[in-house]
Amino acid sequence: MTDVADLVGRARTGDRRAVARLISLVEDASPLLREVMAALVAAGPADTYVVGLTGPPGVGKSTSTAALIGAYRRRGVRVGVLAIDPSSPYSGGALLGDRIRMGAHAEDDGVYIRSMAARGHLGGLSWAAPQALRVLAAAGCEVILLETVGVGQSEVEVAGQADTTLVLMAPGMGDGIQAAKAGILEVGDIYVVNKADREGAAQTARELTHMLSLGPGRGEGDWTAPVLKTVASRGDGVEEVLDAISQHRQHLTDSGRLLARRRRRAAGEVEAVTLEGMRRRIGNLRGDRRLEALADRVAAGELDPYAAADALAEQLAT
Amino acid sequence: MTDVADLVGRARTGDRRAVARLISLVEDASPLLREVMAALVAAGPADTYVVGLTGPPGVGKSTSTAALIGAYRRRGVRVGVLAIDPSSPYSGGALLGDRIRMGAHAEDDGVYIRSMAARGHLGGLSWAAPQALRVLAAAGCEVILLETVGVGQSEVEVAGQADTTLVLMAPGMGDGIQAAKAGILEVGDIYVVNKADREGAAQTARELTHMLSLGPGRGEGDWTAPVLKTVASRGDGVEEVLDAISQHRQHLTDSGRLLARRRRRAAGEVEAVTLEGMRRRIGNLRGDRRLEALADRVAAGELDPYAAADALAEQLAT
């Protein structure tokens, strides 16, 4: 028997095992989640700032994440990392271990690193990520780095979950055309050309800047997404990235857009949870007389499935 | 403006372009589908028998499908083929062309071959396949071969959509253990070891028979799934497969299980359509005052997303 109140209480004190257990409940779509989320709200506000990191494979996302963790820790900021791999069948445990061994932050109580496979959930990232972010926020993470493999849809989803979205690029990634194709130019608040010690970095940055000047960006005209250069493996330029994140945060706060983004995100979350609830309710109907009677008429060719679905929805509502 | 009644009317006469257009409407999840399905029901019953084909990559599914088409045509049966690739981003057109060129049935009015990418639909195969099958049935296909790449979940889904499910294997596919892992032993009504002229065919058939004798099968104890051998590329054993399908059909009909399977399938279809309708309704709520008000309270940390979803569901129902 899982004592949810106890788990949440321990997570609030930064108990790593409690945090891990709670995120596993999110990952497994546990029936206890409802109780967990209520307990988190009841425990009081836990503000955090979510920084999304995305970009094509090979740009150095893990290295950049490690560099950002280090920079935040030097500023005394407690950091959470949620690495989402929408296509991975692995659950958090394994990769978490690897990352902890890899990084210099394994023994640091101010850092919590977690990988999560978002696959298989009905709502995907929009369902799982906000709940995991709530857990990390409750555990006292002041900044959460939300990292994802930048493959198609996931970039857009990460941008939807983050307060500030960093898009990472690397030199020579196909003269910008690839970037435009990937829709990457529409999701970033800050662009970072990593591996800037390599040939072509200046050109990639110039092209990015040029393309950003043409496009509509995130549709918020008074923020010009900066294009920064880093060599994350040796920490070059990372402080400037943190400064840019601070500036963007200030900009969002002053303009009221931070609240607007968070409301939009909350609306998506409520939507996803509602939909999941409906799916469960329909799932429970298997064997229900109302569904069976309608299905029999569909099987007999007397009723089309849409008319049957209308009738079912009506019966469910009464 | 698409004239649905006219399209359905033409499809009923076997007009290939009308059939293609209707299946494209299914594939694109067109808003017209509701009208199409109602028109198909109104046009009267169109009975068909659905034979699922699944199995791991490399067992010769396409060759087997071609051989089965040929055998059915020699018996004067009108045949439809629906090849589903759940992971493919390609739509029907391209592969259809390839298949027609590949096969000997391009000019045969008694054969209709179509590929469909089921990806992206909320209900996946359970949503798209039944509607495409309805179209092929209306076009006069007496037997429909529903072929899918056997990767994990899709095998189970195909079995759920088919009246009789054929599972294809090939010699030397890892002494049965792989088969057991893949859950393949639970979905087949008939097993076929294709490429039976290769070494190890007899052993694979023996192992399959042995493992089937141990397991519960599809839970319908009075049908013993036969294990047949074919060399589809030269037609060997294909007549025996057709006979086994006929026997299984007779068995299902006599025992009342055909109707039971079709009712279960219809229930799944009604479920999927209902869920899709709910999703659309929620989608339409973006910007709705009720959702916004709840989302604001979630964003402010006053309400957890589950409580908000409950409140939303209640408001939607009234």
Side-chain angles (χ1 to χ4, degrees), chain B residues 50-225:
Chain B
V50 180
V51 177
L53 269 98
T54 190
V59 294
K61 277 191 294 296
S62 295
T63 315
S64 296
T65 299
L68 289 171
I69 294 171
Y72 273 119
R73 293 303 294 140
R74 281 192 294 278
R75 295 187 183 190
V77 176
R78 294 171 61 90
V79 183
V81 177
L82 187 64
I84 307 255
D85 184 350
S87 65
S88 169
Y90 301 104
S91 73
L95 189 48
L96 171 60
D98 291 347
R99 279 173 176 268
I100 284 183
R101 272 190 298 277
M102 270 168 39
H105 311 288
E107 304 300 321
D108 180 350
D109 271 349
V111 181
Y112 193 92
I113 303 176
R114 174 73 184 218
S115 300
M116 195 164 79
R119 184 176 182 166
H121 291 156
L122 183 70
L125 196 55
S126 59
W127 186 85
Q131 307 203 10
L133 293 173
R134 281 170 197 281
V135 173
L136 290 174
C141 297
E142 296 161 278
V143 165
I144 303 175
L145 305 174
L146 177 63
E147 180 194 322
T148 190
V149 179
V151 276
Q153 188 56 21
S154 63
E155 288 151 9
V156 181
E157 289 197 27
V158 162
Q161 300 300 331
D163 295 316
T164 294
T165 297
L166 301 190
V167 174
L168 301 188
M169 303 291 284
M173 298 204 61
D175 57 19
I177 293 168
Q178 209 176 335
K181 263 190 182 168
I184 245 173
L185 293 171
E186 284 159 32
V187 301
D189 298 304
I190 296 167
Y191 290 80
V192 179
V193 178
N194 188 34
K195 303 183 181 179
D197 52 344
R198 296 204 182 164
E199 201 181 339
Q203 196 193 335
T204 298
R206 262 200 313 276
E207 284 173 357
L208 257 175
T209 306
H210 175 64
M211 295 188 70
L212 287 166
S213 72
L214 301 173
R218 283 187 79 163
E220 299 173 337
D222 50 354
W223 172 257
T224 304

Side-chain angles (χ1 to χ4, degrees), chain A residues 185-206:
Chain A
L185 293 171
E186 283 159 31
V187 303
D189 299 304
I190 297 166
Y191 290 82
V192 178
V193 178
N194 189 32
K195 304 183 180 178
D197 52 344
R198 296 204 183 163
E199 203 181 337
Q203 197 195 334
T204 298
R206 263 199 314 276

Side-chain angles (χ1 to χ4, degrees), chain B residues 226-289:
Chain B
V227 178
L228 307 175
K229 279 180 273 188
T230 58
V231 184
S233 58
R234 52 178 203 240
D236 291 1
V238 173
E239 289 296 329
E240 287 76 4
V241 174
L242 257 62
D243 292 341
I245 295 170
S246 295
Q247 285 159 23
H248 186 243
R249 180 177 189 163
Q250 194 62 51
H251 167 81
L252 287 179
T253 308
D254 292 348
S255 63
R257 293 220 170 96
L258 184 58
L259 189 58
R261 281 189 180 194
R262 288 178 171 189
R263 283 176 164 170
R264 211 180 312 142
R265 204 194 303 167
E269 190 183 3
V270 173
E271 229 183 79
V273 172
T274 306
L275 193 62
E276 171 66 14
M278 287 175 168
R279 199 196 57 74
R280 291 234 171 103
R281 207 150 49 127
I282 296 180
N284 291 340
L285 280 179
R286 282 287 176 128
D288 183 286
R289 266 191 52 247

